[in-house]
């Protein structure tokens, strides 16, 4: 029997994934749950396990291709010589005698995403196919709406999301933990053509106009504001074989993490009224504390740095200024205050910026918090962070100091009311006890959602964080 494995929703609510690498080839024998491919979504690189034990019959995409959820990914030849022929029904002895049609072949309920087989449909209720191992429980029958392909004798079953995209490409299917236009934005064919001609990505335009139908004016406004989005003259496109002219530009498709980040940042910038406040602080006592910790044998194997101290200070300060640990709920028109800290740590990777989250960071002692940050950063740079670990943050930190930057105006992670940028530690002439001395100094930059946080609250939070960095012993006084 030949079965098609459709690219499943990997538990992220994202509409597509890019094939990073195939780990099998046509004709290979594969075992159940053997990893067959690595795909990159807008959040992470994910390994895809095989839903069957059988032979790879065909690969429906090449490395580098972008595949929509619900589209064929790979075909398998499953079953031995005694397996039932889907057309004839031979090879089975347990078919109900009263049924004149062959049973629909269904894979064992053990792993895999959506599958599509060549067996004809029967009167037996269609069974739900299981999810990938590690991506949630299998849905109950009817949990995912499906519809039949039109036409007499049609046997192909289409996922509803795919059918919507094919039948009504202007409809929006909103998914994901934040309200981003992850599917094709609503627009008319002339507007889509205009956007294509101007080199404008409608996803980014829709992020600035959530819930609206994109018009010609929206596209023209975006193109005027971002002239780099306009296509380059044809002469700058490198011809096949290359030339001196073609070497003047490099074009990189906007996909995966970078595409998702761009849409999220545009959505955040045009939705939440950002304000930023700065504070430069003497952190000499903190750097001296860190130097002493490095010589402590009890801490061998633990890397405690300035970022860990800042993260601890942030958790303490959020307890005193809970408005920074909240979000604006547009639908309910409420401010939702969190009584826990799920701390996002921005990490720069080769695939773009990601913000993995440390759950219940406020409950972790300093050493455990430092270990969590180190593990999180390494996993993120390897592109192996689980999708679930990059959602649901309540506050974020971005360490721009590692790049030698002193300060900046970070953009809020969507759904959060605050983000703190930590600048580089500089040895600087500074007033200390009435005299000028060389001191270790850094700048903190706090961006906040002014709908949720007042300027006084932002200043109080920032001075609390700075107080811990200036005198680490103050951490014992905060709660």
């Amino acid at each position: 029997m030949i079965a098609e494995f459709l690219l499943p929703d990997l538990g992220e609510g994202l509409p597509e994934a890019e094939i990073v690498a195939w780990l099998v080839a046509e004709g290979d024998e594969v075992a159940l749950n053997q990893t067959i491919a690595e795909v990159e979504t807008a959040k992470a690189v994910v390994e895809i396990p095989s839903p069957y034990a059988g032979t790879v019959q065909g690969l429906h995409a090449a490395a580098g291709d972008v595949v929509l959820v619900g589209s064929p990914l790979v075909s398998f030849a499953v079953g031995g010589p005694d397996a039932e022929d889907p057309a004839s029904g031979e090879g089975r002895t347990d078919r109900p005698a009263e049924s004149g049609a062959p049973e629909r072949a269904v894979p064992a309920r053990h792993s895999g995403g959506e599958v599509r087989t060549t067996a004809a449909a029967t009167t037996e209720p269609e069974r739900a196919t299981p999810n990938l191992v590690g991506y949630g429980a299998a849905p109950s029958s009817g949990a995912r709406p499906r519809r039949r392909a039109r036409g007499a004798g049609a046997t192909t079953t289409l996922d509803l999301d795919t059918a919507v995209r094919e039948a009504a490409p202007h409809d929006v299917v909103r998914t994901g933990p934040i309200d981003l236009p992850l599917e094709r934005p609503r627009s008319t064919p002339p507007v889509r053509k205009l956007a294509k001609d101007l080199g404008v990505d409608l996803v980014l335009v829709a992020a600035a106009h959530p819930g609206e139908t994109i018009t010609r004016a929206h596209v023209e406004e975006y193109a005027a504001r971002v002239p780099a989005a306009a296509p380059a003259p044809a002469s700058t496109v490198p011809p096949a074989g290359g030339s001196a002219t073609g070497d003047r530009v490099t074009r990189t498709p906007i996909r995966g993490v970078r595409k998702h980040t761009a849409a999220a940042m545009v959505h955040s910038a045009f939705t939440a009224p950002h304000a930023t406040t700065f504070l430069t602080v003497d952190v000499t006592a903190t750097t001296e504390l860190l130097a002493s910790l490095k010589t402590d044998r009890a801490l061998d194997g633990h890397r405690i740095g300035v970022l860990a101290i800042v993260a601890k200070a942030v958790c303490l300060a959020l307890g005193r200024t809970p408005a920074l640990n909240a979000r604006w709920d547009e639908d309910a028109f409420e401010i939702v205050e969190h009584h826990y800290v799920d701390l996002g740590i921005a990490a720069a990777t080769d695939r773009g910026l990601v913000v993995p989250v440390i759950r219940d960071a406020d409950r972790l002692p300093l050493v455990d918090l430092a270990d969590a940050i180190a593990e999180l950063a390494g996993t993120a740079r390897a592109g192996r962070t689980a999708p679930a670990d990059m959602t649901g943050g309540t506050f974020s930190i971005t360490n721009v100091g590692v790049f030698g930057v002193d300060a900046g105006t970070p953009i809020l992670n969507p759904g959060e009311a605050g983000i703190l940028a930590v600048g580089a530690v500089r040895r600087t002439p500074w007033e200390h006890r009435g005299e000028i001395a060389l001191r270790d100094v850094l700048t903190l930059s706090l961006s906040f959602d002014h709908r949720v946080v007042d300027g006084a609250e932002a200043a109080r939070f920032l001075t609390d964080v700075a107080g811990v960095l200036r005198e680490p012993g103050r951490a014992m006084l905060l709660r």
Side-chain angles (χ1 to χ4, degrees):
M1 179 185 71
I2 304 300
E4 283 185 345
F5 176 41
L6 310 184
L7 177 66
D9 182 338
L10 301 174
E12 307 167 75
L14 300 174
E16 63 187 23
E18 179 180 348
I19 306 298
V20 175
W22 283 107
L23 305 182
V24 296
E26 292 184 13
D28 285 357
E29 295 288 334
V30 296
L32 178 65
N33 289 333
Q34 175 183 334
T35 302
I36 58 174
E38 292 181 342
V39 302
E40 180 180 6
T41 69
K43 296 181 180 179
V45 173
V46 178
E47 294 181 344
I48 301 292
S50 171
Y52 290 112
T55 304
V56 177
Q57 189 74 11
L59 307 179
H60 296 286
D65 288 351
V66 176
V67 182
L68 294 177
V69 169
S71 297
L73 187 65
V74 57
S75 296
F76 295 94
V78 296
D82 296 331
E84 176 186 5
D85 177 3
S88 66
E90 294 179 359
R92 288 186 61 96
T93 59
D94 57 348
R95 189 175 71 253
E98 64 274 18
S99 174
E103 274 193 303
R104 180 179 181 271
V106 179
R109 196 174 178 79
H110 40 235
S111 80
E114 293 185 43
V115 251
R116 196 162 59 186
T117 71
T118 57
T122 71
T123 56
E124 176 188 1
E126 194 164 319
R127 308 178 197 175
T129 54
N131 278 345
L132 281 174
V133 169
Y135 295 99
S140 59
S141 60
R144 285 187 71 114
R146 307 175 74 86
R147 75 179 187 184
R148 288 284 172 195
R150 299 179 184 273
T155 61
T156 301
T157 303
L158 294 177
D159 177 76
L160 180 59
D161 291 346
T162 304
V164 168
R165 282 192 290 268
E166 293 173 350
H170 54 282
D171 288 341
V172 174
V173 181
R174 294 188 180 272
T175 58
I178 57 176
D179 187 22
L180 290 178
L182 297 176
E183 292 287 347
R184 191 171 296 170
R186 288 180 296 189
S187 61
T188 61
V191 171
R192 291 197 292 275
K193 183 179 185 304
L194 174 65
K196 182 178 180 180
D197 292 342
L198 295 178
V200 170
D201 188 340
L202 283 178
V203 171
L204 301 183
V205 179
H209 304 278
E212 299 182 33
T213 299
I214 304 306
T215 65
R216 176 180 290 270
H218 291 148
V219 174
E220 292 174 342
E221 175 192 7
Y222 183 89
R225 188 172 66 252
V226 189
S235 60
T236 66
V237 178
S243 70
T245 301
D247 294 337
R248 292 170 64 88
V249 298
T250 299
R251 294 182 178 272
T252 303
I254 303 173
R255 296 174 176 170
V257 173
R258 193 169 299 278
K259 179 178 179 180
H260 176 79
T261 301
M265 293 300 98
V266 171
H267 176 82
S268 177
F270 282 90
T271 302
H274 284 57
T276 306
T277 185
F278 305 87
L279 182 60
T280 302
V281 56
D282 180 350
V283 296
T284 306
T286 291
T287 57
E288 290 174 348
L289 171 64
L290 293 174
S292 68
L293 294 179
K294 289 180 181 179
T295 63
D296 190 336
R297 292 184 179 181
L299 298 177
D300 285 349
H302 301 281
R303 295 181 57 187
I304 303 177
V306 172
L307 183 58
I309 302 289
V310 172
K312 189 62 181 179
V314 163
C315 291
L316 293 170
L318 287 175
R320 291 166 55 90
T321 313
L324 266 297
N325 196 41
R327 65 181 174 87
W328 181 275
D329 189 333
E330 187 69 38
D331 295 334
F333 208 67
E334 295 174 339
I335 294 175
V336 180
E337 188 176 296
H338 306 288
H339 301 298
Y340 57 90
V341 178
D342 280 355
L343 187 62
I345 304 292
T349 73
D350 293 339
R351 298 177 177 86
L353 182 70
V354 296
V355 189
V357 176
I358 300 173
R359 305 295 176 188
D360 294 316
D362 54 320
R363 298 185 179 182
L364 298 177
L366 178 61
V367 174
D368 292 345
L369 190 55
D371 289 346
I373 291 173
E375 180 181 0
L376 171 152
T379 304
R381 293 190 182 102
R384 301 298 180 185
T385 306
D389 291 339
M390 288 188 282
T391 60
T394 63
F395 187 92
S396 292
I397 298 175
T398 178
N399 185 11
V400 298
V402 296
F403 304 109
V405 174
D406 294 325
T409 53
I411 297 177
L412 293 167
N413 208 25
E416 298 176 13
I419 181 172
L420 181 70
V422 183
V425 177
R426 304 285 188 192
R427 193 73 170 163
T428 304
W430 196 260
E431 189 276 330
H432 178 63
R433 296 178 181 176
E435 299 180 354
I436 300 298
L438 285 177
R439 306 290 290 177
D440 292 332
V441 174
L442 67 75
T443 299
L444 302 172
S445 312
L446 174 68
S447 290
F448 55 95
D449 185 341
H450 222 323
R451 298 173 300 178
V452 182
V453 183
D454 295 333
E457 292 172 312
R460 185 162 56 248
F461 169 84
L462 203 55
T463 53
D464 279 344
V465 174
V468 173
L469 297 177
R470 187 182 297 112
E471 301 176 62
R474 285 178 54 86
M476 300 180 66
L477 303 177
L478 298 179
R479 58 177 180 176

